[in-house]
């Protein structure tokens, strides 16, 4: 089947990203635009339109207005997802040779920025929930311990990155973490790819965006957590710690020279949807609907895990001895497509569209899966990753990645240095990065991970020759 046919067909229940649900909840003005003569909107940086880095024009005005509405100093729209803007942020924050403190559940894009920016990732461990195999949030005390340990590396630390909320929708007390980082006079970049909707501040009981607690840089993926088109994203900046000129230089380094006006218009409209009354009302109602779905599932004994994002439903498959990856395939066969299949869970993203009748259908499919899979109520336990509280690659990331390499089987890789990143996607969290040493413990753990993610982790690893 050709790609065009694939894109135009199939009306399954979309519980995956982008969050606009195949157009169902795109902002109204964008839907109108897309209904005009096909292609009329496909424009580059024309004079009146401008671009994210051009001081004059509609995009400059729009970025100014979005920043003002949200209450920060500046923002830049992006057309290469949160990936592109996280990478530009890192290049703006740290110079070649400097280190950046980042959690082990960092998205791979940040490690890639370290590769091409000549930065040292100082990776710190995060709490691990062994009943489901997820990284979890940490508190200020944990971060203080990280800082104490990081000092021993005697690196020139330029900045700290936080990931909040996580892909599954767990959220930390971000205010106290930002305070701790600022007490070390360091800037903080928050990867809020999954939390754009938090700028809406629609309910007191929901987490708040790091923007409201003085984070220096915050990146939102507007297709993951707002109703934007795929690839749309925004970088917000505030305060004096990061020079906007450095940010713009870094965006210029990575951005296409022909950013799509359609994607930039989608950035504008999805942000507006989050801050204007009509969009906020819609979001409140979607969240209430999603909460009703969760309540219904729980009351029908579907094993859901708690998180802080009502629009993300985590099915705890390993509670019944089932892999989320296998359960995902069964849901797909029955017409429900989830977002994040992992060994212990399957996360569904309800996004911004309505899902009438989902609860009953979900319960029926889950019960069929249970019946047909020899499921047993046995809580699997996942091995905690063998990470030290803080670690630094044995060799620089960039030179390791660029080295001559050979492919060896995982079991024969003990004592070798990795020339690649091992990273199931999604969620895109690296289990091994270039320059790290494969000691026995890591190899055992990676082999175990391979058995849990058979299609995503190879039996081979590329190591420095
Ligand atoms: C935590 C996190 N940050 C960043 C990204 C990258 O987002 P995008 O797809 O918009 O480039 C992802 C994507 O999965 C992610 O999970």
């Amino acid at each position: 089947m050709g790609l065009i046919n694939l894109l135009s067909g199939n009306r399954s229940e979309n519980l995956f990203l982008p969050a606009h649900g195949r157009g169902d909840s795109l902002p109204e003005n964008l839907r109108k635009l897309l209904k005009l003569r096909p292609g009329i909107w496909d424009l580059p940086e024309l004079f009146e339109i401008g671009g994210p880095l051009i001081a004059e024009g509609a995009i400059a005005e729009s970025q100014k207005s979005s920043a003002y509405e949200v209450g920060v100093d500046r923002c830049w729209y992006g057309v290469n997802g949160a990936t592109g803007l996280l990478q530009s942020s890192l290049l703006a924050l740290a110079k070649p040779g400097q280190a950046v403190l980042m959690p082990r559940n960092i998205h791979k894009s940040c490690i890639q920025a370290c590769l091409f920016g000549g930065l040292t990732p100082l990776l710190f461990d995060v709490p691990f929930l062994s009943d489901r195999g997820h990284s979890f949030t940490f508190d200020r005390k944990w971060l203080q311990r990280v800082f104490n340990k990081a000092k021993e590396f005697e690196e020139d630390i330029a900045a700290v990155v936080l990931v909040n909320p996580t892909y599954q929708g767990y959220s930390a007390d971000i205010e106290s973490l930002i305070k701790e980082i600022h007490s070390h006079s360091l800037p903080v970049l928050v990867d809020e790819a999954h939390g754009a909707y938090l700028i809406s501040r629609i309910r007191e009981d929901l987490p708040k965006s790091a923007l409201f607690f003085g984070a220096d840089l915050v990146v939102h993926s507007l297709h993951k957590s707002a109703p934007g088109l795929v690839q749309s994203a925004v970088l917000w900046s505030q305060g004096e710690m990061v020079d906007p000129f450095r940010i713009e230089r870094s965006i210029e380094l990575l951005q296409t020279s022909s950013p799509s006006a359609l994607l930039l218009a989608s950035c504008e409209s999805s942000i507006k949807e989050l801050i204007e009354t009509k969009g906020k009302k819609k979001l409140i109602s979607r969240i209430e609907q999603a909460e009703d779905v969760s309540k219904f599932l729980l009351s029908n004994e579907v094993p859901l895990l708690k998180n802080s994002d009502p629009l993300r439903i985590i099915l705890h498959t390993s509670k019944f001895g089932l892999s989320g990856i296998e359960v995902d395939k069964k849901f797909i066969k029955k017409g429900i497509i989830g977002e994040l299949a992992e060994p212990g869970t399957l996360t569904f993203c309800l996004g911004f569209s309505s899902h009438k009748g989902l609860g009953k259908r979900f319960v029926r499919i889950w019960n069929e899966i249970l019946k047909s899979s020899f499921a047993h109520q046995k809580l699997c336990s996942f091995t905690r990753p063998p990470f030290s509280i803080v670690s630094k690659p044995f060799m620089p990331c960039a030179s390791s990645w660029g080295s001559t390499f050979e492919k060896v089987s995982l079991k024969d890789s003990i004592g070798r240095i990795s020339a690649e990143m091992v990273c199931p996607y999604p969620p895109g969290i690296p289990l091994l990065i270039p320059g790290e040493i494969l000691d026995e413990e890591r190899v055992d753990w990676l082999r175990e991970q391979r058995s849990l993610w058979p299609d995503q982790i190879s039996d081979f690893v590329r190591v420095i020759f």
Side-chain angles (χ1 to χ4, degrees), residues 49-61:
I49 300 174
L53 300 174
I54 298 176
E56 309 276 313
I59 291 167
E61 287 309 311

Side-chain angles (χ1 to χ4, degrees), residues 17 80-86 105-110 163-167 191-194 219-224 230-233 312 339 425-429:
L17 301 174
N80 187 24
T83 296
L85 293 176
L86 285 167
N105 63 337
I106 194 79
H107 186 254
K108 63 178 181 169
S109 53
C110 294
V163 181
N164 197 66
T166 66
Y167 212 136
D191 174 355
E192 219 171 66
H194 297 285
V219 172
H220 286 147
S221 179
L222 295 171
H223 58 107
K224 285 183 155 54
V230 166
Q231 287 184 219
S232 58
R312 305 231 164 154
E339 167 67 16
Y425 193 90
I429 297 173

